[in-house]
Amino acid sequence: MRHAIARVLLAVAVAATPALRAVAADAPAVPATDALDEIVVTATKTGAESLQRTPLAISVVGGEQLVSQGLRNVHDLAQFVPNVTYGQNTASAEIYIRGIGSNNIGAGSDPDVTTQVDGVYIARPSGQLTDFLDVDRIEVLRGPQGTLYGRNAVGGTINVISRKPSNEFGGRMEVAGGNFGLGQTEAYVTGPLLADQLQGSLAFNYSHHDPYFRNIVGPDVGAANRGGGRVQLRWEPTASIDATTRMDLSLSDESFESYSNLITRVPVPALANALVGNFRNVALGDPQVMRTKMGGVAEEVNWQISEPLALKSITAWRTTRYQFSNDNDATEQQIQFSHQQETDQQVSQEFDLQYTRERFKGVTGLYVFHDQDHQTNDVLVPPSVATPPARALFNQVSPLVKSTSGAIFAQGTVKLTRTLSVTVGGRYTSENKKMDQIYTRLSQNPATPGVAFAGFPSAFHLSNDYSAFTPKFGLDWQTTDSVLLYVSATRGYKSGGFNFSAAAPSSASFQPEKLWSYEGGAKTQWLNERVRVNATAFYYDYTNLQVQQLIAAGVLSIGNAATARVKGAELELLARPVAELQLTLNVAALDARYDRFTAASIPQGLTGLVANAVCVGTTCTVDASGNYLNSAPKFSALTAIDYSRLIAGFECSAHADYAWRARTYFDPSNVAAMSQGPYGLVNAQIGLGDRAQSWRVQVWGKNLADRRYYVITSASGLSVAGISADPRTFGIRLNHNW
């Protein structure tokens, strides 16, 4: 793969050679239409500024790209951003940036990568799974963002920014169809309401497709049936006040694929064993159903107090609810079955005071947040061919977790000279978390039905306080109008929490994790802004890394690995040799390892597969020091080509991309069975539209080579099982703009 990347780079260099010679010979200026589009971001919270003059590692995907390439959610987005990986555990997203992320999805745990929708923090991983709707752009900030974005942004932040309502009437309608009975629709309309001071927008989407995976013993799995809507009202009573109210709701009722593909054999069931290594067929004796309901209301007010001074207020309430039923054993037998439901409600308030002058820009703010999360997790293990009556049980944990957090922060950038600037910032966060746990374990032995096991039910209350100061120091040098160099040192922090499956207070708590990030980068533009090259190198010093391992169905181990080290580099290249052609190349290298992790727990499905395991009774551990972190491939790359040209009055377009990823591990033991080997994905599409861009029709295909791989794996069941990636899909899409 490295040779392939080298060939691509060589091809780009050869293609650029004539242009380089032309520049050297004082050739005429390149027409403005050949220049790359300027990208504007708001990541620093001090107003809009050019991406190329922002000293941060940021990738931006615009709303037009989301639409034209059919990027529906974070899963689709991940391959277009260096060092971002995505996985899914039942109803929750698992997002990793530079090897930093978390599979801690239960109540009491938080994600390491935060998602913000129009400045509103999404507390639960289940809330990160909704499809994009009415989006202007997405900004992915790689690396810890603790100063401006607070606790839990230790890996990075994904900012989803909605399209603002307009004072001019307009809209867009999209319909799509394809294989597996695909049907998708999305619509957006905006315009003035009653008066020029009041504008509104309405958007909705719906997606449905038949199951991707055939269940040879029951209902098939992997179907989609989800949709949502958003309403925005924007009021501008004066020239200095802009207030936007947002309301959204998304629903789903789907059969889902969750660790249904066996990777290693199980002791008894014949049908499931015959499907080991089969990515398209499963043998599930129990139904797999998931229902979700997510939504909220937010009010954003922007007040331009004076020319340099502005105040922003964001007030929000959100709720996330889901319930699912899951076949834990992934076989045709009824050996293990689980049901889970969650109801989460959060409220938040943020005030940002922004100050902008030619020599100084800064922001200071106040943030308060409260979250209440109630989960109920049931696991049924009846007598079966794999479970003797004496070990049959019903296990239920029902934690209620309440979190209250407050923070004050400030960050400013001072121009020491016309080209040299220094940035200093800091945030102080204080948080309290409380958990009320009720743990029940009942016998399913026909001789003692419903009798509680010894020590159950278990009920206890815990309350922990956490606090942290997360500073940032940065220096950037605008050497020319086209070259920005920068270095920074940033503190990242993720709060401590609770193990939702703990049966006793002694094993319920884990401590905060912290890191120092040291980063240097360059943002450059060449050939009259036809070529853009951004490069970043980084080093992380991690302490108390929180690691969750699924030991058995409904049983988790969550603890703090002692230390970890992460280092890597990223390259983003964008080129427009001629007005009709755009080339993209993203390359990422990553070395993310546990520095010292001497007692990593081994799930029951890995029994006998982990060398050097140390077992005491039924509990086994392994020294994972030096092993790779979860979801941290050593290399990944994306290359893409976009071509568009007017022919006979019609705009003809084509897009193709190839994404490659090295071996990825999903467990600290780094055993082969809990990993996914290298793979590459090919996507492509062709389109035809009118010159005014009022309509466009596209024929598209994803995973055209039908590459079969695992998104993520688990060993908490009887064996190692994985979530298989989507198969090859293709279809036709029609867009109409007005």
Side-chain angles (χ1 to χ4, degrees), residues 176-254:
N179 62 334
F180 293 99
L182 174 68
Q184 291 176 335
T185 181
E186 183 173 334
Y188 165 82
V189 63
T190 184
L193 299 173
L194 301 179
D196 291 343
Q197 293 177 337
L198 183 64
Q199 305 122 43
S201 66
L202 173 64
F204 72 88
N205 61 8
Y206 176 72
S207 182
H208 172 275
H209 63 69
D210 296 335
Y212 286 154
F213 309 100
R214 176 174 172 260
N215 184 8
I216 65 174
V217 297
D220 296 338
V221 297
N225 180 37
R226 60 182 181 268
R230 169 178 293 161
V231 176
Q232 294 190 90
L233 295 174
R234 184 183 183 189
W235 183 43
E236 298 177 283
T238 69
S240 61
I241 296 178
D242 184 342
T244 303
T245 304
R246 301 182 175 97
M247 296 168 282
D248 68 278
L249 176 67
S250 62
L251 305 169
S252 74
D253 186 353
E254 304 177 325

Side-chain angles (χ1 to χ4, degrees), residues 436-450:
D436 292 292
Q437 175 73 300
I438 301 177
Y439 195 132
T440 303
R441 182 174 293 175
L442 305 176
S443 171
Q444 294 297 296
N445 188 336
T448 58

Side-chain angles (χ1 to χ4, degrees), residues 463-480:
S463 178
N464 290 338
D465 294 314
Y466 311 102
S467 62
F469 177 66
T470 48
K472 175 184 174 67
F473 306 95
L475 184 68
D476 63 88
W477 180 26
Q478 192 76 50
T479 63
T480 70

Side-chain angles (χ1 to χ4, degrees), residues 285 455 459 609 665 691:
L609 298 180
Y665 294 97
R691 189 167 190 167

